[in-house]
Amino acid sequence: MTGLRFFASPRFWRGALPALSLTFVLLGVFWLQPRAMSYFGLNLLFNLAIPIALATIAQMFVIAVNDLDLSIGSFVSLVACIGATWLQETPLLGIAALLGCIAVYACLGALIYIRQLPSIVVTLGMSFVWSGCAVLLLPTPGGSAPDWIRTLVTYKPPYVPMPLIAAAALALIVHFALMRTSWGVLMRGVGGNEKAITRAGWSVLKLKMTMYALTAVFGILAGLTLVGLATSADANIALRYTLLSIAGVILGGGEFVGGRISPIGAVLGAMTLTLTASFLSFLRISPDWQIGAQGAVLIIVLALRAVVNRMEARR
Amino acid sequence: MTTETAGPLISLDGIQKVFGAVQALSGVDLKIHAGECLGLVGHNGAGKSTLMNILAGTLEASDGNLAVAGDELGKGYSVQDAGRLGIRCVFQELSLCPNLSVAENTRIIHPVLKGFGWQKRAGALIMEQLDLVFPGHGISPNDIVGDLTISKRQMVEIARAFTVTDTNIRLVILDEPTSSLDARVADQLLDYVGRVTRQGISVVLISHLLGEILQVSNKISVMKDGRVVAFKDAADFDRVSLVEAMGSTVVAGAAPRRDQNATTSAGEERIHMRPAGQPDDQSIRAREGEVIGFAGLAGQGQTQALLSIFEGHGVLPSGAQASGCCFIAGDRQVDGVLPLWSIRKNIGVSSLKRLRSGVLIQNEREQELADAWKERIGIRAPDVEAPILSLSGGNQQKVLFARALGSAADIVLMDDPMRGVDVGTKNEVYAIIRQEASQGRTFLWYTTEMEELDYCDRVYVFRDGVVSETLSGGDITEENLLQASFKQVSGAA
């Protein structure tokens, strides 16, 4: 009885919506192109979803504390450039640069919290800084990814394609860390009611800095994966990730304010967005229209969510 | 525990708190013994919540001493210290994270709830406490707080304050704990308060329901204007003497009310409005040239009534609506000033229709208007081109008055506009309100300050979103107001 009621509850539908949208798009792809229903096909379909999923998770950490990171795309591009140059030629310098990036992100979190600045403004400004650094480092497209990254991202396990395993692992690890641990509760609490966290005696400053640092960590993972897949880098390689990552979080059931996020949903959202692009290619729709079509998917899913919320309000 | 029974558990000595120009607390002395329930009453803005915030470590006292169990706690007393000493507080506005579950919210105040299986332990802890305080509560530890009703949220927060892990609790502050609980649940809580005080835990209970206070408290402390004006055993008080203690014994200043009879009968009726859910036949009426007060405790529906009038409900002749109304917000930072604009633009924004020719705003006309009002209302600024944020709070409020009065509106709605304004400015504005009223404007004035009601021709006292009492002329006395504000809604219980 209670089980049945759970399946009818808005909470269930809110959680199921990202998975349903992915299934729906995936079925569409299979219907158009049955050959995609293979190890090789799935590998190809979801390969590029992994860096986007990582960037989406990065964005999700910031959204969890009611902020927004408009620099994640240029940051991922910069990391890709670092990966294709310093990390290849002088690994120590490369690692130091990446650690420096994490420190900068943590400081941004502190700055935004202490001065109560709008995160949109700060990160928009930083996006130009990151882009500038990337252009300085790699003025023309080129460089080459370190071999160990290449090996890692092209690894082909038996039976299940690597991107699916990676996506599942990412979703579950972050879900566990953020949704199940006692530490993740505090992180999400900051988004829910900052004052309550302060009154309970925790330092919101430290929590926000941690969240921003985590954003950087996952941004770095996204950049390195991307450069591994693309083999070379370009200062503009991932600029569209900024909007894709935000869309992915929202598509996955997250909300801009209130600390309501879902790591599993975010990964599914990122995969849905990537898949939509392939779906439209199979339909022979020109890439010019694809951004618009992704927007349409977003609108449809959000409209469905509005319906679910209304269902809840009626109760 | 036994060693502490000799001295007081908490002793506050000369606590002062200043917010900008406002003296919220001016030297409060208070002693709370172990196992005692202290009732704290007083009208809005008496300083009760400020005092409790200081005790809970969320605000720092500007001056004075705070000692817990004999240990003097100097400057820098913080929330962490309060937690360590076993002081918990249930704040008036809830301190739960709506996006987290009940168990997760419990974890937030207990740093020791971590490691493997913490969720189970947190859930068990809060459930046990909920069962103890509110038997039959119907809350599960996995419920997301935002999905719970407001009364269940309050139950969770109250129960959470009584949960114990590593430090024993010694004092729990309950600030308006029953405001959204129904009578049965409120009784469960009061009953529990009685039980824990017998176990040696002290409780401070702040409530506007005097019956509750008299029922459970051992001692009652009455606050007024940032001071404790009475501190006695609960047995020495009854309803009437409590209300008397909250009011001022001496009527401060002569009533500045205009002679009503001259104007009230003359003007035409401008507003006739019944609040939604009004059980009897009382309704809000206002004529030309009247100053009408909205009184009662804070947040009893006065602002909603003003907003609904602003949207055109009850404005006569019907259909005349919003163009004839202007609104002066109480929370000027949020609803009032346009922070990046100059004083001139801030004044002119409500009158743009009159100030433009074609599609363009005539700067000279706006300038004229702003200069005229700056002169008349006495805005202390070098000139009207200065940015509004260069002004003090009181002068910013004057700009908002200038904006409203400078517009063509016949009806002026004021939402407690004098919050945090100094006395001098207040008197200047009062004079202008009276002058404008005599020229035929109608004022609807929600205020939490007694003396402002002396300027009103008629006062509607709000309780639970409806008018509980209409007072006019000589009946507008502090005592009548307090009685009406604290009127128990007997039908609901």
Side-chain angles (χ1 to χ4, degrees):
Chain A
M1 186 63 202
T2 48
L4 264 179
R5 226 179 50 200
F6 176 71
F7 284 115
S9 74
R11 201 170 150 193
F12 166 76
W13 284 106
R14 209 160 41 192
L17 210 51
L20 287 177
S21 8
L22 179 63
T23 317
F24 192 72
V25 181
L26 194 60
L27 287 177
V29 169
F30 287 160
W31 175 62
L32 284 173
Q33 189 54 268
R35 270 174 296 175
M37 228 181 317
S38 64
Y39 183 97
F40 183 71
L42 285 173
N43 206 10
L44 222 52
L45 276 180
F46 287 114
N47 234 343
L48 280 173
I50 295 309
I52 295 178
L54 284 162
T56 305
I57 291 290
Q59 182 71 258
M60 191 195 68
F61 282 114
V62 178
I63 289 183
V65 291
N66 294 350
D67 285 343
L68 208 55
D69 184 2
L70 293 184
S71 67
I72 193 76
S74 25
F75 179 69
V76 172
S77 305
L78 171 64
V79 172
C81 291
I82 293 175
T85 54
W86 288 348
L87 205 59
Q88 163 80 329
E89 296 145 16
T90 47
L92 274 183
L93 180 63
I95 289 166
L98 294 179
L99 290 178
C101 286
I102 298 178
V104 171
Y105 251 92
C107 292
L108 286 180
L111 178 76
I112 286 167
Y113 174 69
I114 293 171
R115 303 290 307 155
Q116 292 290 310
L117 298 172
S119 61
I120 295 182
V121 175
V122 175
T123 56
L124 186 64
M126 279 312 289
S127 76
F128 296 109
V129 174
W130 299 129
S131 280
C133 294
V135 170
L136 285 178
L137 195 59
L138 201 63
T140 51
S144 69
D147 291 332
W148 58 273
I149 297 179
R150 288 282 307 144
T151 325
L152 213 62
V153 297
T154 52
Y155 174 68
K156 289 201 169 53
Y159 309 118
V160 188
M162 186 62 181
L164 294 185
I165 296 178
L170 173 67
L172 292 178
I173 289 170
V174 179
H175 178 84
F176 179 78
L178 209 52
M179 312 301 278
R180 305 290 299 173
T181 64
S182 56
W183 164 93
V185 165
L186 298 177
M187 299 286 173
R188 285 181 292 134
V190 173
N193 187 347
E194 201 177 294
K195 222 171 174 180
I197 301 289
T198 317
R199 279 174 174 173
W202 302 95
S203 158
V204 174
L205 175 67
K206 277 186 207 158
L207 291 168
K208 269 208 164 177
M209 286 175 75
T210 316
M211 282 306 237
Y212 272 83
L214 279 169
T215 302
V217 169
F218 281 85
I220 288 170
L221 292 177
L224 295 182
T225 323
L226 180 63
V227 79
L229 290 167
T231 68
S232 68
D234 159 11
N236 297 325
I237 190 167
L239 289 189
R240 66 198 183 95
Y241 278 25
T242 301
L243 293 181
L244 277 180
S245 64
I246 297 171
V249 174
I250 302 305
L251 202 56
E255 274 165 38
F256 282 118
V257 287
R260 289 176 193 272
I261 43 147
S262 155
I264 296 178
V267 171
L268 292 175
M271 290 168 79
T272 311
L273 283 174
T274 329
L275 208 57
T276 314
S278 314
F279 179 64
L280 297 167
S281 308
F282 287 135
L283 279 176
R284 293 177 213 286
I285 291 176
S286 96
D288 297 343
W289 290 93
Q290 287 184 5
I291 298 279
Q294 282 178 340
V297 170
L298 204 60
I299 289 171
I300 292 170
V301 174
L302 290 184
L304 284 177
R305 188 172 346 148
V307 171
V308 170
N309 286 345
R310 203 169 290 180
M311 203 162 100
E312 193 167 35
R314 249 211 314 267
R315 255 199 325 173
Chain B
M1 272 283 161
T2 42
T3 50
E4 288 160 15
T5 46
L9 173 65
I10 308 275
S11 104
L12 300 171
D13 188 19
I15 296 283
Q16 300 207 13
K17 180 71 192 174
V18 182
F19 293 110
V22 182
Q23 179 101 21
L25 294 176
S26 34
V28 174
D29 303 325
L30 203 62
K31 296 208 176 353
I32 306 168
H33 291 268
E36 186 175 83
C37 177
L38 174 77
L40 194 55
V41 294
H43 207 263
N44 299 311
K48 305 176 304 267
S49 293
T50 310
L51 184 66
M52 291 305 115
N53 270 300
I54 287 172
L55 197 48
T58 45
L59 282 177
E60 201 173 334
S62 312
D63 200 10
N65 293 318
L66 167 62
V68 177
D71 294 335
E72 194 69 33
L73 301 160
K75 289 265 169 208
Y77 169 69
S78 67
V79 193
Q80 285 92 334
D81 298 326
R84 203 165 32 75
L85 291 163
I87 298 175
R88 300 273 181 75
C89 189
V90 174
F91 293 94
Q92 208 170 343
E93 77 281 22
L94 298 183
S95 302
L96 298 173
C97 294
N99 59 329
L100 302 182
S101 74
V102 173
E104 287 170 338
N105 268 294
T106 312
R107 139 74 184 152
I108 283 173
I109 65 161
H110 290 295
V112 293
L113 284 175
K114 58 183 177 189
F116 188 73
W118 68 269
Q119 279 188 317
K120 235 186 185 135
R121 280 182 279 137
L125 182 70
I126 187 76
M127 278 306 113
E128 191 187 330
Q129 196 65 43
L130 272 169
D131 290 339
L132 209 57
V133 189
F134 305 108
H137 50 77
I139 299 166
S140 130
N142 296 321
D143 286 342
I144 301 293
V145 166
D147 296 342
L148 295 176
T149 60
I150 179 84
S151 76
K152 283 188 176 175
R153 270 183 246 177
Q154 190 143 24
M155 286 153 76
V156 171
E157 171 136 26
I158 292 167
R160 186 179 75 160
F162 285 100
T163 53
V164 178
T165 47
D166 51 346
T167 42
N168 279 322
I169 44 173
R170 295 204 263 192
L171 172 72
V172 178
I173 301 162
L174 301 169
D175 193 350
E176 291 289 343
T178 56
S179 57
S180 45
L181 300 180
D182 66 45
R184 185 185 59 87
V185 181
D187 278 341
Q188 290 181 337
L189 171 65
L190 298 179
D191 187 47
Y192 184 73
V193 167
R195 273 185 279 154
V196 289
T197 47
R198 281 194 288 279
Q199 291 163 15
I201 295 170
S202 313
V203 173
V204 175
L205 179 65
I206 301 178
S207 178
H208 281 309
L209 300 173
L210 304 182
E212 284 180 7
I213 296 275
L214 290 165
Q215 185 189 334
V216 292
S217 311
N218 312 112
K219 284 258 173 79
I220 294 178
S221 163
V222 181
M223 286 187 74
K224 184 176 160 55
D225 299 335
R227 277 201 182 78
V228 173
V229 289
F231 182 42
K232 285 192 274 189
D233 283 345
D236 298 343
F237 279 113
D238 59 16
R239 273 190 83 79
V240 178
S241 61
L242 261 184
V243 169
E244 264 169 17
M246 274 188 274
S248 53
T249 39
V250 190
V251 177
R257 194 168 298 118
R258 298 169 297 128
D259 61 314
Q260 307 95 15
N261 306 334
T263 46
T264 43
S265 51
E268 64 177 294
E269 190 158 64
R270 281 210 176 117
I271 291 170
H272 182 189
M273 184 263 209
R274 275 170 62 84
Q278 180 75 36
D280 46 25
D281 59 353
Q282 297 186 83
S283 60
I284 298 164
R285 289 164 185 272
R287 293 175 179 279
E288 189 180 324
E290 280 188 320
V291 180
I292 302 297
F294 285 9
L297 302 168
Q300 296 291 329
Q302 297 95 332
T303 303
Q304 286 83 336
L306 286 178
L307 285 173
S308 117
I309 291 169
F310 186 67
E311 283 161 8
H313 296 289
V315 178
L316 300 173
S318 45
Q321 65 137 310
S323 58
C325 289
C326 66
F327 196 93
I328 302 176
D331 191 346
R332 62 177 164 271
Q333 302 308 342
V334 176
D335 302 327
V337 299
L338 298 157
L340 299 180
W341 286 10
S342 65
I343 299 170
R344 165 168 69 89
K345 289 182 175 171
N346 264 292
I347 292 178
V349 70
S350 283
S351 313
L352 291 180
K353 247 183 207 156
R354 288 185 296 132
L355 296 176
R356 70 186 184 198
S357 68
V359 292
L360 299 178
I361 298 168
Q362 295 298 306
N363 279 339
E364 312 81 65
R365 270 193 250 166
E366 194 177 55
Q367 175 97 38
E368 253 169 57
L369 175 84
D371 277 333
W373 277 99
K374 172 178 177 286
E375 199 62 40
R376 204 169 145 210
I377 211 164
I379 298 167
R380 286 177 200 87
D383 69 289
V384 294
E385 296 303 327
I388 186 153
L389 292 186
S390 66
L391 301 178
S392 70
N395 277 298
Q396 288 182 23
Q397 198 64 45
K398 282 189 187 171
V399 171
L400 297 188
F401 271 99
R403 179 197 292 171
L405 299 177
S407 74
D410 289 326
I411 301 169
V412 182
L413 308 170
M414 303 192 286
D415 181 13
D416 205 3
M418 300 297 191
R419 255 179 249 167
V421 174
D422 62 278
V423 183
T425 308
K426 278 182 183 173
N427 286 334
E428 290 168 29
V429 174
Y430 296 156
I432 288 171
I433 289 175
R434 255 187 300 165
Q435 199 182 340
E436 287 288 319
S438 64
Q439 285 168 14
R441 274 196 164 144
T442 306
F443 288 84
L444 269 69
W445 189 356
Y446 163 39
T447 172
T448 49
E449 291 180 42
M450 281 304 165
E451 67 262 36
E452 295 186 348
L453 294 171
D454 290 341
Y455 293 85
C456 299
D457 297 309
R458 197 159 54 255
V459 172
Y460 296 98
V461 185
F462 280 70
R463 175 88 197 166
D464 287 337
V466 295
V467 175
S468 71
E469 195 81 63
T470 307
L471 301 172
S472 56
D475 291 341
I476 309 176
T477 62
E478 191 158 3
E479 204 186 332
N480 284 344
L481 277 165
L482 283 168
Q483 289 291 4
S485 306
F486 287 96
K487 207 185 218 176
Q488 300 273 20
V489 190
S490 48

